[in-house]
Amino acid sequence: TRADCVGGALSVALASGKLPSLKTLGFHSFRFDETGVGDLGEAVRAWRWPPGFTKIDFTLEQTDVNLDELIRAIGESEIGLALFVHRLNLPGGRLSEEALASLAANGGGASGGKLSQLKHLDLSSCGLDDARLRRLGEVFSAHECREMVRIDLDYNRISIEGLSAFLEALSPQSLPNLRRLSLRSQNTVEGEELGVREQREFASAVASLQAAAHRNGKLLKWR
């Protein structure tokens, strides 16, 4: 097993409370599989992280992995995702509307919520449709994510109506430092790729919604 493919087991070790003085590792990017997703959820619930630890990025290396328990664990944990987790890359995973609603319902807090130090979230190819995207907007309304600078939502099934509902769910305080919201290569509800003309129309409509969001004081750094 390569050292960078033990993200789940590493997260359990870090949350065990047995490494209180640990501040850094030789490198900070780790991959995990379906078992690792469960391990990370367990670690999030335990939340006995080393207080001085600096930075870790987690990347899912399998597709069609159910992410619901991890999403629920973040919401139900006392502190949420560890403060040293700066990137959470979950491409090809699967998450339900109900799990996102649960995370949204467990928001709040002066620190900016339970994703407060996350800088980059990748939910590309996660089967997100309009209903799930609206719930994701509710998540970012409940957890302001002030450090987030990039969200990838490529290769999903998001329509302009869904993006509009996502933006409507946000408050002006949500995602104040977000610079990139990537929405490339969306499919139809039936899973078919958009044609060239439909892609141009989608991009134009996204630009219009971006301008409207700016007028409403939302996502002012999104370019």
Side-chain angles (χ1 to χ4, degrees):
T1 302
R2 299 200 321 269
D4 67 340
C5 291
V6 295
L10 174 67
S11 65
V12 171
L14 289 174
S16 67
K18 298 177 180 179
L19 301 168
S21 300
L22 188 65
K23 296 185 182 301
T24 188
L25 296 168
F27 47 93
H28 63 260
S29 183
F30 294 88
R31 297 181 179 275
F32 61 155
D33 55 14
E34 184 171 13
T35 299
V37 169
D39 289 340
L40 180 56
E42 178 185 332
V44 167
R45 291 183 188 279
W47 65 270
R48 295 189 297 273
W49 309 104
F53 201 80
T54 54
K55 178 183 178 182
I56 275 190
D57 302 335
F58 286 115
T59 297
L60 182 64
E61 65 171 7
Q62 278 183 283
T63 58
D64 293 317
V65 173
N66 191 319
L67 303 172
D68 282 2
E69 284 307 308
L70 173 59
I71 299 301
R72 289 192 175 96
I74 292 171
E76 294 168 5
S77 166
E78 184 171 334
I79 64 171
L81 197 63
L83 299 181
F84 53 75
V85 179
H86 292 178
R87 293 175 60 127
L88 193 58
N89 302 321
L90 303 171
R94 293 293 176 262
L95 64 167
S96 69
E97 184 182 350
E98 292 75 17
L100 290 169
S102 174
L103 178 54
N106 284 284
S111 67
K114 296 181 178 179
L115 300 166
S116 61
Q117 296 300 308
L118 195 62
K119 298 178 184 298
H120 182 186
L121 176 65
D122 186 351
L123 295 177
S124 299
S125 301
C126 281
L128 294 180
D129 57 13
D130 289 350
R132 289 174 175 82
L133 185 64
R134 178 174 58 83
R135 292 295 189 186
L136 188 62
E138 294 172 359
V139 167
F140 293 135
S141 179
H143 307 271
E144 293 173 3
C145 300
R146 297 168 190 167
E147 299 298 320
M148 189 84 75
V149 296
R150 176 170 179 167
I151 300 171
D152 292 324
L153 301 174
D154 306 322
Y155 304 102
N156 283 297
R157 293 180 287 132
I158 295 168
S159 74
I160 286 302
E161 290 75 19
L163 180 59
S164 178
F166 169 82
L167 295 171
E168 181 65 28
L170 300 178
S171 73
Q173 290 74 41
S174 304
L175 304 166
N177 289 302
L178 188 74
R179 289 171 172 79
R180 180 171 175 81
L181 177 61
S182 185
L183 295 156
R184 294 181 297 115
S185 301
Q186 297 302 316
N187 293 332
T188 66
V189 174
E190 294 77 19
E192 299 176 356
E193 292 185 12
L194 296 179
V196 174
R197 181 173 62 84
E198 288 83 2
Q199 289 182 30
R200 284 200 297 262
E201 291 173 349
F202 183 83
S204 177
V206 168
S208 295
L209 288 177
Q210 181 186 50
H214 290 169
R215 289 194 298 272
N216 290 323
K218 299 180 181 181
L219 304 183
L220 295 178
K221 295 185 179 181
W222 175 26
R223 296 289 183 265

